[in-house]
Amino acid sequence: MKAYIKLEGNATNDDSKSLKELANLIRKDCDLSVEIEETKPESGGKDGGLAIAIAIA
């Protein structure tokens, strides 16, 4: 079974942080594999990216 959680609209840094925290909780408490999908930074943006989705397997 796979589950997919994706943020719609414009993700903020707070949204991204919350989604990453959720992914970590799922990994730790449920012992499941979690992949994080991130957006690429816009030109002139900071390194890294915003987490916009997690896939749970």
Side-chain angles (χ1 to χ4, degrees), residues 7-35:
L7 297 176
E8 294 290 327
N10 294 328
T12 66
N13 285 332
D14 288 337
D15 295 332
S16 177
K17 182 179 176 185
S18 295
L19 197 56
K20 288 178 182 179
E21 289 174 358
L22 176 60
N24 286 332
L25 285 172
I26 292 169
R27 279 188 193 112
K28 180 181 173 188
D29 293 346
C30 301
D31 195 29
L32 295 172
S33 174
V34 178
E35 294 179 21

Side-chain angles (χ1 to χ4, degrees), residues 34-52:
V34 178
E35 294 179 21
I36 298 174
E37 181 181 323
E38 296 183 351
T39 60
K40 294 185 179 187
E42 296 177 11
S43 64
K46 297 179 186 176
D47 289 338
L50 294 175
I52 59 163

